[in-house]
Amino acid sequence: SLFNNIYLWKGDITRLKVNAIVNAANNKLLGCWQPLHNCIDNVIFSYAGIQLRNEMYKIMKKIGQFEETGKARISKGYFLPCDNIIHTVGPFVNGPLTENHKKLLESSYKSVLELAKENNIRTLAFCCISTGVFNFPNKEAANIAINTVINFLEKNNDIKIIFCVYKDIDEKIYNNILKEKMKKIVNNVSYDL
């Protein structure tokens, strides 16, 4: 079952020794500029070291504009235990959640997964994109994340996906959704006797 390729882990994403971790970035892709800010972008850039900012600066200079929402870029992991970091800009929710917000978040997950496939990534850890300072509601974000990953794994089963959650609320939400999905899949299996 494709659920053999999905893991839920609660903890600090910067501690994972995987092929790639996902960074929920801002559109400058140069890390968070607010000192000691507790966002994932700041934590990843702080632990990875200055080389990460240098690499991302070169990438951004080449692009010549801010990164689009829903797109993704890959960099090395430097001082982190992961080999690579995939940076994606999720949607910022200011006001009610719209269909466009949902499409953009799905696009972030798809862009990361496609980039992982292109770069032969076998183990990939997702953070909860857009649910921090970008205000995307946690439950809707988790549904989009899980559905997009399941759709991808149906055609690409050679990659292991870790949903890395940091908050208790996200652990609970992911657990519940994954249990429901597994139940549906198990119940839909017919046995030819």
Side-chain angles (χ1 to χ4, degrees), residues 130-166:
S130 281
T131 59
V133 290
F134 278 27
N135 300 323
F136 206 106
N138 300 53
K139 195 173 179 183
E140 284 87 345
N143 263 313
I144 291 166
I146 291 168
N147 288 334
T148 309
V149 162
I150 286 173
N151 289 339
F152 180 81
L153 286 175
E154 280 168 355
K155 296 171 206 76
N156 307 277
N157 60 2
D158 53 353
I159 184 169
K160 305 252 183 260
I161 304 290
I162 301 147
F163 289 114
C164 178
V165 297
Y166 195 68

Side-chain angles (χ1 to χ4, degrees), residues 5-6 13-14 17 19 31 39 64-66 77 82-83 88-89 94 105 111 113 134-135 139 142 156 159 161 164:
N5 290 37
I6 297 176
I13 201 166
T14 64
K17 192 171 171 39
N19 293 150
C39 67
Q65 64 181 37
F66 291 147
C82 60
D83 305 315
T88 187
V89 184
N94 191 1
L105 186 62
S111 297
L113 290 162
F134 278 27
N135 300 323
K139 195 173 179 183
N156 307 277
I159 184 169
I161 304 290
C164 178

